[in-house]
Amino acid sequence: MIIVLIGVLLAIFLLPNLWAKWVLKRHARPRDDYPGTGAELAEHLLRRLGIDGVKVELTDQGDHYDPDARRVRLSREHYAGRSLTAVTVAAHEVGHAIQHHHGYAPLLARSRLVAVAQQAEKLGALLMMAAPFLFILTRLPGGMLIVLLAAVISFGTAALVHLVTLPVEFDASFQRALPLLKEYLPPGDMPGARHVLTACAFTYVAASLASLLNLGRWLVILRR
């Protein structure tokens, strides 16, 4: 029974990320019939839409849009790649730039939450490690419970941010990027583009589940 439960939990936590990676890899084959790379499409779209001041950069920190620096950052395979995955991921990140350009409120809220969550997660890790020592030093009734509750809340903010992020990601994919891609991609490539865009969003589902798994791991350690 325990083995089955462990297997189910592993499937819940790992499958979204594995599926997303499989989809991105499946459509990463170079396409000689595409006129440009992911970076070139991103730059073209920004110019065409009149989004001034946003630059496209190469990064090793994963594909993302930085609203503070106003940068569309693409990994090497998507920046220089000429594949369905490369151009679709590039369009997705431009979708975030479009959101920012139009003052899309959920994106702005997410940016604020991310900064809070990063600090909260660090605080949560510190509290988790310090909880037994604080309890010994203070010996206050309920002291351990208070510290653990604070740590759980801190770690939980990371999962919350990822969940709040999902509507932002789906909007960037299906309301911003997909209509643009329909103008550039052959009709036969559109189902694949939809799969890639869905995979881009589901990476955040995997990240949210990973945050919950991390919280559970710390709780198990503290119970020992």
Side-chain angles (χ1 to χ4, degrees), residues 17-203:
N17 197 35
L18 292 175
W19 177 80
K21 289 182 177 179
W22 176 79
V23 170
L24 294 176
K25 185 176 180 180
R26 180 186 178 190
H27 298 288
R29 179 175 56 85
R31 293 284 298 270
D32 295 334
D33 56 325
Y34 284 3
T37 64
E40 289 169 340
L41 176 62
E43 290 169 348
H44 166 76
L45 291 174
L46 291 169
R47 288 194 306 270
R48 172 191 156 183
L49 298 171
I51 303 177
D52 299 323
V54 176
K55 304 296 182 184
V56 181
E57 294 181 346
L58 181 67
T59 183
D60 57 0
Q61 301 299 314
D63 306 288
H64 65 279
Y65 171 69
D66 184 338
D68 294 326
R70 302 193 68 198
R71 295 291 185 269
V72 169
R73 296 191 173 120
L74 301 174
S75 58
R76 185 172 300 278
E77 62 268 28
H78 300 149
Y79 184 93
R82 199 182 294 255
S83 66
L84 180 58
T85 292
V87 298
T88 304
V89 169
H92 170 82
E93 299 306 336
V94 170
H96 288 307
I98 298 170
Q99 290 174 332
H100 193 196
H101 182 68
H102 291 294
Y104 182 62
L107 174 69
L108 304 179
R110 181 187 72 169
S111 300
R112 291 190 291 268
L113 280 172
V114 166
V116 172
Q118 289 173 342
Q119 297 304 316
E121 193 167 10
K122 291 178 183 178
L123 176 61
L126 179 61
L127 289 173
M128 286 288 196
M129 291 184 289
F133 303 102
L134 292 174
F135 179 68
I136 292 172
L137 290 174
T138 61
R139 296 186 180 277
L140 294 174
M144 175 67 84
L145 179 61
I146 293 173
V147 173
L148 284 176
L149 181 60
V152 168
I153 293 173
S154 298
F155 268 112
T157 55
L160 176 62
V161 167
H162 291 306
L163 290 175
V164 170
T165 290
L166 285 176
V168 178
E169 294 300 315
F170 278 105
D171 179 85
S173 285
F174 299 105
Q175 300 302 318
R176 318 284 177 166
L178 190 62
L180 292 171
L181 287 170
K182 287 179 180 178
E183 301 179 29
Y184 293 91
L185 294 178
D189 284 344
M190 291 310 300
R194 289 188 182 91
H195 289 156
V196 172
L197 290 171
T198 304
C200 289
F202 264 75
T203 56

